[in-house]
Coordinates of all heavy atoms in Angstrom, one line a residue:
K1273 N 67.0 115.9 18.2 CA 65.7 115.4 17.7 C 65.7 115.5 16.2 O 65.3 114.6 15.5 CB 64.5 116.1 18.3 CG 63.2 115.4 18.0 CD 62.0 116.1 18.7 CE 60.7 115.5 18.4 NZ 59.6 116.1 19.0
I1274 N 66.0 116.7 15.7 CA 66.0 116.9 14.2 C 67.1 116.0 13.5 O 66.8 115.4 12.5 CB 66.4 118.4 13.9 CG1 65.3 119.3 14.4 CG2 66.6 118.6 12.4 CD1 65.6 120.8 14.4
G1275 N 68.2 115.8 14.2 CA 69.3 115.0 13.6 C 68.9 113.5 13.5 O 69.2 112.8 12.5
E1276 N 68.2 113.1 14.5 CA 67.7 111.7 14.5 C 66.6 111.5 13.5 O 66.5 110.4 12.9 CB 67.2 111.3 15.9 CG 68.4 111.1 16.9 CD 67.9 110.6 18.3 OE1 66.9 111.2 18.8 OE2 68.5 109.7 18.9
E1277 N 65.7 112.4 13.4 CA 64.6 112.3 12.4 C 65.1 112.4 11.0 O 64.5 111.7 10.1 CB 63.6 113.4 12.7 CG 62.8 113.3 14.0 CD 61.9 114.4 14.3 OE1 62.0 115.5 13.6 OE2 61.1 114.4 15.2
T1278 N 66.1 113.1 10.7 CA 66.6 113.3 9.4 C 67.7 112.3 9.0 O 68.1 112.1 7.9 CB 67.2 114.7 9.1 OG1 68.2 114.9 10.1 CG2 66.1 115.7 9.3
G1279 N 68.2 111.6 10.1 CA 69.3 110.6 9.8 C 70.7 111.3 9.6 O 71.6 110.7 9.1
K1280 N 70.8 112.5 10.0 CA 72.0 113.3 9.9 C 72.5 113.8 11.2 O 72.8 115.0 11.4 CB 71.8 114.4 8.9 CG 71.5 114.0 7.5 CD 71.3 115.2 6.5 CE 70.9 114.7 5.1 NZ 70.7 115.9 4.2
L1281 N 72.6 112.9 12.2 CA 72.9 113.4 13.5 C 74.3 113.9 13.6 O 74.5 115.0 14.3 CB 72.8 112.2 14.5 CG 73.1 112.4 16.0 CD1 72.1 113.5 16.5 CD2 73.0 111.1 16.8
D1282 N 75.3 113.3 12.9 CA 76.7 113.8 12.9 C 76.8 115.2 12.4 O 77.5 116.1 12.9 CB 77.6 112.9 12.2 CG 77.2 112.6 10.8 OD1 76.0 112.7 10.5 OD2 78.1 112.3 9.9
E1283 N 76.1 115.5 11.3 CA 76.1 116.8 10.6 C 75.5 117.9 11.5 O 76.0 119.0 11.7 CB 75.4 116.8 9.3 CG 76.2 116.0 8.2 CD 75.4 116.0 6.9 OE1 74.6 116.9 6.7 OE2 75.7 115.1 6.1
I1284 N 74.3 117.5 12.1 CA 73.6 118.5 13.0 C 74.4 118.8 14.2 O 74.5 119.9 14.7 CB 72.2 117.9 13.4 CG1 71.3 117.7 12.2 CG2 71.6 118.7 14.5 CD1 70.8 119.0 11.6
L1285 N 75.0 117.7 14.8 CA 75.9 117.9 16.0 C 77.1 118.8 15.7 O 77.5 119.6 16.5 CB 76.3 116.6 16.6 CG 75.3 115.8 17.3 CD1 75.9 114.4 17.7 CD2 74.9 116.5 18.6
N1286 N 77.7 118.6 14.5 CA 78.8 119.4 14.1 C 78.4 120.9 13.9 O 79.2 121.8 14.4 CB 79.4 118.9 12.8 CG 80.7 119.5 12.4 OD1 81.6 119.6 13.3 ND2 80.9 120.0 11.2
K1287 N 77.3 121.2 13.3 CA 76.8 122.6 13.2 C 76.4 123.1 14.6 O 76.7 124.3 14.8 CB 75.6 122.6 12.3 CG 75.9 122.3 10.8 CD 74.6 122.3 9.9 CE 75.0 121.9 8.5 NZ 73.8 121.8 7.6
T1288 N 75.9 122.3 15.4 CA 75.5 122.8 16.8 C 76.8 123.1 17.5 O 76.9 124.1 18.3 CB 74.8 121.7 17.5 OG1 73.6 121.3 16.8 CG2 74.3 122.2 18.9
A1289 N 77.9 122.3 17.3 CA 79.2 122.6 18.0 C 79.7 123.9 17.5 O 80.3 124.6 18.3 CB 80.1 121.4 17.7
D1290 N 79.6 124.2 16.2 CA 80.1 125.5 15.7 C 79.3 126.6 16.4 O 79.9 127.7 16.7 CB 79.9 125.6 14.2 CG 80.9 124.6 13.5 OD1 81.9 124.3 14.0 OD2 80.5 124.2 12.3
F1291 N 78.0 126.5 16.5 CA 77.2 127.5 17.2 C 77.6 127.7 18.6 O 77.8 128.9 19.1 CB 75.7 127.1 17.1 CG 74.8 127.9 18.0 CD1 74.4 129.2 17.5 CD2 74.4 127.5 19.2 CE1 73.6 130.0 18.3 CE2 73.6 128.3 20.0 CZ 73.2 129.6 19.6
Y1292 N 77.8 126.6 19.3 CA 78.2 126.7 20.8 C 79.7 127.2 20.9 O 80.0 127.7 22.0 CB 78.0 125.4 21.5 CG 76.5 125.2 21.9 CD1 75.8 124.2 21.3 CD2 75.9 126.1 22.7 CE1 74.4 124.0 21.6 CE2 74.5 125.9 23.1 CZ 73.8 124.9 22.5 OH 72.5 124.8 22.8
D1293 N 80.5 127.0 19.9 CA 81.8 127.6 19.9 C 81.7 129.1 20.0 O 82.5 129.8 20.8 CB 82.6 127.2 18.6 CG 83.3 125.9 18.8 OD1 83.4 125.4 19.9 OD2 83.7 125.3 17.7
E1294 N 80.8 129.7 19.2 CA 80.6 131.2 19.2 C 80.0 131.6 20.5 O 80.3 132.6 21.1 CB 79.7 131.6 18.0 CG 80.4 131.3 16.7 CD 79.5 131.7 15.5 OE1 78.4 132.3 15.8 OE2 79.9 131.5 14.4
E1295 N 79.1 130.8 21.0 CA 78.4 131.1 22.3 C 79.5 131.0 23.4 O 79.4 131.8 24.4 CB 77.4 130.0 22.6 CG 76.1 130.3 21.9 CD 75.3 131.5 22.4 OE1 74.9 131.5 23.6 OE2 75.1 132.4 21.6
L1296 N 80.4 130.1 23.3 CA 81.5 130.0 24.3 C 82.3 131.3 24.4 O 82.7 131.8 25.4 CB 82.4 128.8 24.1 CG 83.5 128.6 25.0 CD1 83.0 128.3 26.5 CD2 84.4 127.4 24.6
D1297 N 82.7 131.8 23.2 CA 83.4 133.1 23.1 C 82.7 134.2 23.8 O 83.3 135.0 24.6 CB 83.6 133.5 21.6 CG 84.7 132.6 20.9 OD1 85.5 132.0 21.6 OD2 84.6 132.6 19.7
S1298 N 81.4 134.3 23.6 CA 80.6 135.3 24.2 C 80.5 135.1 25.7 O 80.6 136.1 26.5 CB 79.1 135.3 23.6 OG 78.3 136.2 24.3
T1299 N 80.4 133.8 26.1 CA 80.3 133.5 27.6 C 81.6 133.8 28.3 O 81.6 134.3 29.4 CB 80.0 132.0 27.8 OG1 78.8 131.7 27.1 CG2 79.8 131.7 29.2
I1300 N 82.7 133.6 27.6 CA 84.0 133.9 28.2 C 84.1 135.4 28.5 O 84.5 135.8 29.5 CB 85.2 133.4 27.3 CG1 85.3 131.9 27.4 CG2 86.5 134.0 27.8 CD1 86.2 131.3 26.4
Q1301 N 83.8 136.2 27.4 CA 83.8 137.6 27.6 C 82.9 138.1 28.7 O 83.3 139.0 29.5 CB 83.4 138.3 26.2 CG 84.4 138.0 25.1 CD 85.8 138.5 25.4 OE1 86.0 139.5 26.0 NE2 86.8 137.7 24.9
T1302 N 81.7 137.6 28.7 CA 80.7 138.0 29.8 C 81.2 137.6 31.2 O 81.1 138.4 32.1 CB 79.4 137.3 29.5 OG1 78.9 137.6 28.2 CG2 78.3 137.7 30.5
S1303 N 81.8 136.4 31.3 CA 82.3 135.9 32.6 C 83.4 136.8 33.1 O 83.5 137.2 34.3 CB 82.8 134.5 32.5 OG 81.7 133.6 32.1
V1304 N 84.3 137.1 32.2 CA 85.5 138.0 32.6 C 85.0 139.4 32.9 O 85.5 140.0 33.9 CB 86.5 138.1 31.4 CG1 87.6 139.1 31.7 CG2 87.2 136.7 31.2
S1305 N 84.1 139.9 32.1 CA 83.5 141.3 32.4 C 82.8 141.3 33.8 O 82.8 142.4 34.4 CB 82.6 141.7 31.3 OG 81.5 140.9 31.2
M1306 N 82.2 140.2 34.2 CA 81.6 140.1 35.5 C 82.6 139.9 36.6 O 82.4 140.4 37.7 CB 80.5 139.0 35.5 CG 79.3 139.2 34.6 SD 78.2 137.8 34.6 CE 77.7 137.7 36.3
L1307 N 83.6 139.1 36.3 CA 84.6 138.8 37.4 C 85.5 140.0 37.7 O 85.8 140.1 38.9 CB 85.4 137.6 36.9 CG 86.3 136.9 37.9 CD1 85.4 136.3 39.0 CD2 87.1 135.8 37.2
E1308 N 85.8 140.8 36.8 CA 86.7 141.9 37.0 C 86.2 142.9 38.0 O 86.9 143.2 39.0 CB 87.1 142.6 35.7 CG 88.0 141.8 34.8 CD 88.2 142.5 33.5 OE1 87.8 143.6 33.3 OE2 88.8 141.8 32.6
P1309 N 84.9 143.4 37.9 CA 84.4 144.3 38.9 C 84.3 143.7 40.3 O 84.4 144.4 41.3 CB 83.1 144.8 38.3 CG 82.7 143.8 37.3 CD 84.0 143.3 36.7
V1310 N 83.9 142.4 40.3 CA 83.8 141.7 41.6 C 85.1 141.7 42.3 O 85.2 142.0 43.5 CB 83.3 140.3 41.4 CG1 83.4 139.5 42.7 CG2 81.8 140.3 40.9
L1311 N 86.2 141.4 41.6 CA 87.6 141.3 42.2 C 88.0 142.7 42.6 O 88.6 142.9 43.7 CB 88.6 140.8 41.1 CG 88.5 139.3 40.9 CD1 89.4 138.9 39.7 CD2 88.9 138.5 42.1
I1312 N 87.7 143.7 41.8 CA 88.0 145.1 42.2 C 87.3 145.6 43.4 O 87.9 146.2 44.3 CB 87.7 146.1 41.0 CG1 88.7 145.8 39.8 CG2 87.9 147.5 41.4 CD1 88.4 146.5 38.5
V1313 N 86.0 145.2 43.5 CA 85.2 145.6 44.7 C 85.8 144.9 46.0 O 86.0 145.5 47.0 CB 83.8 145.2 44.5 CG1 83.0 145.3 45.8 CG2 83.1 146.1 43.5
V1314 N 86.1 143.6 45.8 CA 86.7 142.8 47.0 C 88.0 143.4 47.4 O 88.3 143.6 48.6 CB 86.8 141.3 46.6 CG1 87.6 140.6 47.7 CG2 85.5 140.7 46.4
M1315 N 88.9 143.7 46.4 CA 90.2 144.4 46.7 C 90.0 145.7 47.4 O 90.6 146.0 48.4 CB 90.9 144.6 45.4 CG 91.6 143.4 44.8 SD 92.2 143.7 43.1 CE 93.2 145.1 43.4
G1316 N 89.0 146.5 46.9 CA 88.7 147.8 47.5 C 88.3 147.7 49.0 O 88.7 148.4 49.8
I1317 N 87.4 146.7 49.2 CA 86.9 146.5 50.6 C 88.0 146.1 51.5 O 88.1 146.6 52.6 CB 85.8 145.4 50.6 CG1 84.5 145.9 49.9 CG2 85.4 145.0 52.0 CD1 83.5 144.9 49.6
I1318 N 88.9 145.1 51.1 CA 90.0 144.7 52.0 C 91.0 145.8 52.2 O 91.3 146.1 53.4 CB 90.7 143.5 51.3 CG1 89.7 142.3 51.3 CG2 91.9 143.1 52.1 CD1 90.3 141.1 50.5
I1319 N 91.5 146.4 51.2 CA 92.5 147.5 51.3 C 91.9 148.7 52.1 O 92.5 149.3 52.9 CB 93.1 147.9 50.0 CG1 93.8 146.7 49.4 CG2 94.0 149.1 50.1 CD1 94.4 146.9 48.0
G1320 N 90.6 149.0 51.7 CA 89.9 150.1 52.4 C 89.8 149.8 53.9 O 89.9 150.7 54.7

């Protein structure tokens, strides 16, 4: 909405992409940190 109102949609989208690049890094770390204990618990249940 800001990009359309200012006529700088490409610049705003580029800055937004940079922001979500950093968010993606954080999301990857969070997803892996959540997935690891789940896998360990499942492994423990099966082998147990």
Side-chain angles (χ1 to χ4, degrees):
K1273 186 177 182 181
I1274 294 168
E1276 287 184 313
E1277 289 174 351
T1278 58
K1280 296 180 180 179
L1281 183 61
D1282 57 332
E1283 293 179 18
I1284 294 293
L1285 284 172
N1286 192 48
K1287 290 177 181 177
T1288 307
D1290 290 336
F1291 170 78
Y1292 281 115
D1293 276 343
E1294 295 178 6
E1295 282 289 297
L1296 180 61
D1297 287 339
S1298 175
T1299 304
I1300 289 171
Q1301 296 300 324
T1302 304
S1303 299
V1304 171
S1305 63
M1306 289 175 64
L1307 194 59
E1308 286 175 11
V1310 170
L1311 286 172
I1312 291 171
V1313 169
V1314 171
M1315 284 170 54
I1317 291 171
I1318 294 171
I1319 294 175

